[in-house]
């Protein structure tokens, strides 16, 4: 018999969430550093901006394509094994990237290996932890995980820049890959648990009897909504469409091209990197605040507001004139960058059920990464055609305003599925 839990003891859900968040944070930071290396790669190898942008685009596309399968595996096998495999691939990819000499090697290491690893450590896997371990405060849990990813960028990008300036981009990539393997893999192995029922526990905030492992496995099987069923509902396509715009207006455009854009407008490397750090810190604040808002006031209204603010801020970027104005822009943009994640993920869980959130969030996030890949590649083409990023930022702003309108069409109603069969008898 399990002893009653002290009311003053931290619920294990928070420990599992914190462990998963730390792994996602380190991985997200490592994935986000590629923009720091664009100029050094151009200088050393003479590769064109579009060729290097293609590496980023491939990585983002693979990251998104892996998400649905990582989420499906996390739904079926549990997030722990998925996390361990993803950490290994991402670390090996980063270490391999430190030794590249040809463009195809950059595509293999940074584009494919790191893309697959980052996809396995994305929100599709993290959402399974939040959905299974949290009955209440689920929006906050998603906010913590997403905020942790932003915090990882806040920490890792400056470290990557310092290592780059002191020792070169090869040492920078190598040290970061080694650090990922040394930090995230042991934490995932010892602290990430798949399901509270496996330990005789209830999710945080749950009421009623504790499910046995057999009952939990039965519920996971019977309550799952697959892709084909979800695709019959307009809510799925609205979530995927707005997620596409989210990727187009953030990861693909800003993480890949913001630093080159800033450097070409007479900002220094330190000023541009500081802006990214400010963005990362505001991401944490905005995402945690977004989770709090979702738990109390719903998801659709805040999500529409985030896209509206993003569209306006992208236009503002075209008119920054000095370092303080650049950093003000970074703070505004950072507040609503990852704040879209809690409402999108909790809408997915509320509409399609918590045992489907991994796979379906993965497909929705795949749409995000398609947008990110398209933006990363097209902005490179636009720059080579016009010598400037202005058309890319204007198109992104218009898409963000469209996403704000589409968000208001989403209905926060659960999908009605077939009734659950009786749980298997246990002894």
């Amino acid at each position: 018999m399990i002893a009653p839990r002290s009311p003053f003891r931290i619920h294990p859900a928070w420990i599992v969430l914190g462990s998963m968040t730390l792994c996602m944070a380190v991985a997200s930071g490592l994935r986000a550093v590629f923009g720091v290396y664009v100029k050094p790669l151009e200088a050393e190898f003479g590769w064109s901006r579009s060729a290097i942008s293609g590496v980023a685009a491939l990585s983002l596309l693979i990251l998104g394509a892996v998400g649905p399968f990582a989420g499906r595996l996390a739904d079926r096998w549990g997030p722990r094994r998925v996390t361990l495999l993803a950490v290994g691939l991402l670390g090996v990819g980063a270490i391999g990237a430190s030794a590249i000499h040809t463009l195809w090697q950059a595509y293999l290491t940074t584009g494919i290996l790191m893309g697959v690893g980052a996809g396995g450590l994305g929100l599709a896997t993290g959402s399974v932890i939040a959905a299974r371990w949290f009955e209440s405060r689920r929006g906050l849990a998603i906010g913590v995980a997403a905020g942790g990813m932003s915090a990882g960028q806040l920490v890792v990008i400056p470290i990557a820049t310092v290592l780059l300036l002191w020792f070169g981009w090869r040492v920078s990539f190598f040290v970061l890959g080694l650090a990922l393997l040394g930090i995230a893999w042991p934490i995932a192995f010892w602290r990430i648990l798949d399901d509270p029922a496996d330990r005789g526990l209830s999710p945080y905030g749950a009421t009623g009897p504790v499910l046995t492992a057999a009952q939990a496995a039965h519920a996971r099987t019977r309550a799952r909504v697959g892709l084909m069923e979800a695709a019959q509902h307009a809510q799925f396509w609205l979530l995927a469409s707005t997620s596409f715009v989210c990727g187009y207006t953030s990861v693909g455009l800003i993480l890949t091209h913001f630093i080159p854009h800033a450097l070409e407008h007479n900002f220094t490397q330190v000023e541009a990197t500081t802006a990214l750090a400010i963005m990362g810190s505001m991401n944490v604040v905005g995402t945690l605040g977004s989770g709090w808002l979702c738990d109390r006031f719903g998801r659709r209204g805040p999500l529409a507001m985030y896209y509206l603010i993003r569209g306006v801020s992208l236009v503002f970027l075209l008119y920054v004139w000095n370092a303080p104005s650049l950093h003000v822009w970074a703070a505004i943009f950072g507040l609503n960058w990852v704040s879209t994640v809690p409402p999108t993920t909790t809408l997915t869980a509320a509409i399609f059920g918590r045992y489907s959130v991994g796979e379906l969030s993965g497909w929705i996030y795949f749409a995000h990464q398609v947008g990110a890949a398209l933006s990363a590649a097209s902005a490179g083409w636009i720059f080579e055609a016009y010598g400037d990023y202005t058309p890319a930022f204007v198109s992104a702003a218009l898409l963000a305003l469209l996403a704000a309108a589409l968000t208001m069409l989403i209905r926060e109603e659960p999908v009605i599925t077939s009734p659950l069969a009786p749980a298997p008898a246990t002894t």
Side-chain angles (χ1 to χ4, degrees):
M1 177 177 292
I2 297 174
R5 186 169 53 88
S6 166
F8 300 103
R9 182 185 170 195
I10 297 176
H11 192 285
W14 295 107
I15 298 174
V16 174
L17 176 66
S19 302
M20 187 70 201
T21 299
L22 184 57
C23 292
M24 293 169 66
V26 179
S28 173
L30 179 55
R31 170 61 195 87
V33 300
F34 186 73
V36 175
Y37 302 129
V38 169
K39 286 282 192 179
L41 290 173
E42 285 182 336
E44 180 165 338
F45 298 110
W47 298 335
S48 68
R49 183 70 55 86
S50 60
I52 297 174
S53 298
V55 176
L58 177 64
S59 180
L60 292 168
L61 187 61
I62 289 178
L63 188 157
V66 166
F69 302 100
R72 184 177 179 85
L73 290 176
D75 281 335
R76 292 179 177 272
W77 295 352
R80 180 170 174 269
R81 280 184 282 183
V82 174
T83 301
L84 289 170
L85 178 60
V87 167
L89 288 173
L90 185 58
V92 169
I95 292 172
S98 69
I100 64 171
H101 291 280
T102 61
L103 187 59
W104 73 263
Q105 292 172 338
Y107 275 85
L108 174 63
T109 56
T110 304
I112 297 176
L113 287 179
M114 292 186 67
V116 173
L121 281 164
L123 288 169
T125 306
S127 65
V128 176
I129 293 289
R132 291 188 183 183
W133 281 90
F134 290 85
E135 188 68 33
S136 64
R137 306 285 185 179
R138 191 176 290 164
L140 179 60
I142 292 291
V144 168
M149 295 176 72
S150 300
Q153 297 172 20
L154 173 66
V155 173
V156 175
I157 289 176
I159 292 174
T161 302
V162 170
L163 290 171
L164 167 68
L165 295 175
W166 288 359
F167 304 108
W169 66 269
R170 294 186 185 276
V171 172
S172 179
F173 242 143
F174 181 84
V175 171
L176 293 177
L178 197 63
L180 172 76
L181 294 175
I183 295 172
W185 207 91
I187 291 173
F189 185 81
W190 292 108
R191 291 298 179 185
I192 294 179
L193 307 177
D194 290 328
D195 197 296
D198 297 339
R199 301 300 176 98
L201 300 168
S202 293
Y204 179 84
T207 58
V210 177
L211 294 180
T212 66
Q215 290 170 329
H218 173 74
R220 288 196 293 268
T221 301
R222 297 294 300 174
R224 185 177 294 123
V225 177
L227 173 65
M228 298 307 294
E229 183 177 356
Q232 300 174 30
H233 299 272
Q235 291 97 314
F236 174 80
W237 294 106
L238 289 169
L239 287 167
S241 298
T242 54
S243 185
F244 170 91
V245 175
C246 183
Y248 190 98
T249 55
S250 60
V251 177
L253 182 62
I254 299 301
L255 279 188
T256 306
H257 295 284
F258 168 73
I259 287 182
H261 169 78
L263 294 179
E264 284 150 7
H265 284 76
N266 300 318
F267 293 100
T268 67
Q269 182 84 38
V270 172
E271 289 170 340
T273 304
T274 300
L276 280 183
I278 292 171
M279 241 183 279
S281 62
M282 291 296 101
N283 279 343
V284 177
V285 175
T287 308
L288 292 175
S290 176
W292 182 86
L293 287 172
C294 290
D295 287 334
R296 286 159 178 78
F297 304 110
R299 300 101 172 174
R300 190 175 58 173
L303 185 58
M305 179 181 66
Y306 302 150
Y307 284 120
L308 179 62
I309 294 173
R310 182 176 301 184
V312 174
S313 65
L314 284 168
V315 175
F316 176 33
L317 176 59
L318 299 175
Y319 298 96
V320 297
W321 61 93
N322 56 18
S325 66
L326 180 69
H327 296 157
V328 168
W329 170 83
I332 295 171
F333 192 85
L335 277 174
N336 77 91
W337 183 328
V338 190
S339 58
T340 58
V341 171
T344 301
T345 306
T346 54
L347 275 169
T348 305
I351 295 170
F352 299 105
R354 68 194 221 159
Y355 293 115
S356 311
V357 71
E359 180 180 3
L360 297 183
S361 289
W363 284 110
I364 291 168
Y365 191 65
F366 174 64
H368 179 283
Q369 293 308 110
V370 171
L374 179 61
S375 179
S378 63
W381 301 331
I382 288 171
F383 178 83
E384 291 198 345
Y386 297 96
D388 189 76
Y389 286 111
T390 297
F393 289 123
V394 170
S395 68
L398 293 174
L399 281 176
L401 298 180
L402 175 62
L406 291 176
T407 298
M408 298 307 297
L409 300 177
I410 299 172
R411 298 196 312 271
E412 297 188 47
E413 301 172 359
V415 169
I416 300 175
T417 59
S418 57
L420 297 182
T426 58
T427 57

